[in-house]
Amino acid sequence: MTIKEKDGDNDKASLLNRDNVYRVNVGLRKQTFIEHFGHIPKRPSAGKIVKMNYDFTILDTIIPHPVYAWMGWVCVLNPSDKTFEEFKTMIRESYEFAKEKFTKRRKDRLGNAKI
């Protein structure tokens, strides 16, 4: 999970330079992303956003991440308490998914280590 509070060189789609606007981001399993948003978009060119029919500036709505949706990332700008309660399920999945990926990488490294 990350929290972003300002626009970056390659990520201006959410207009985070507005007063008091921030974005919470999490990476989900691709299947979960597809269940919520229908498909995984293609990776955008450097400095571009994914081609999905979403307003990436909308507040308090869980949407695909404007740059990293192709990796299964989602986000919400300025979530209300109600929206954050819904988003907590995604945060939990993101945490479990990250643990799974770490464990797999660790096993792969240990399996290839020479003793």
Side-chain angles (χ1 to χ4, degrees), residues 3-4 8 18 23 26 40-41 46 48 72 77-78 84 97 115:
I3 299 174
K4 188 164 170 92
R18 294 177 282 169
R23 186 178 70 209
V26 296
I40 296 286
K48 303 291 183 188
L77 281 69
N78 292 43
F84 192 72
F97 188 39
I115 300 175

Side-chain angles (χ1 to χ4, degrees), residues 4-22:
K4 188 164 170 92
E5 299 177 298
K6 62 182 179 176
D7 291 332
D9 291 340
N10 293 318
D11 184 358
K12 295 180 171 98
S14 296
L15 302 179
L16 297 176
N17 286 347
R18 294 177 282 169
D19 286 342
N20 301 311
V21 175
Y22 64 96

Side-chain angles (χ1 to χ4, degrees), residues 28-35 40 69-72 93 97:
L28 303 176
R29 292 177 182 92
K30 288 189 177 182
Q31 186 56 43
T32 303
F33 184 96
I34 292 167
E35 289 169 10
I40 296 286
W70 65 275
M71 294 190 311
E93 177 175 326
F97 188 39

Side-chain angles (χ1 to χ4, degrees), residues 1 6-7 9 14 18-19 35 37-38 43 45-46 52 54 59 93-94 98-99 102 107 109 111 114:
M1 180 174 83
K6 62 182 179 176
D7 291 332
D9 291 340
S14 296
R18 294 177 282 169
D19 286 342
E35 289 169 10
F37 302 106
R43 183 179 184 170
S45 303
M52 295 186 82
Y54 287 90
L59 303 178
E93 177 175 326
S94 179
K99 284 189 342 184
F102 175 80
K107 284 181 182 177
R109 286 187 192 132
K114 297 190 184 212

Side-chain angles (χ1 to χ4, degrees), residues 60-62 76 78-88:
D60 196 31
T61 303
I62 299 169
V76 60
N78 292 43
S80 64
D81 290 343
K82 181 182 177 203
T83 302
F84 192 72
E85 281 303 313
E86 181 183 348
F87 199 63
K88 281 182 183 179

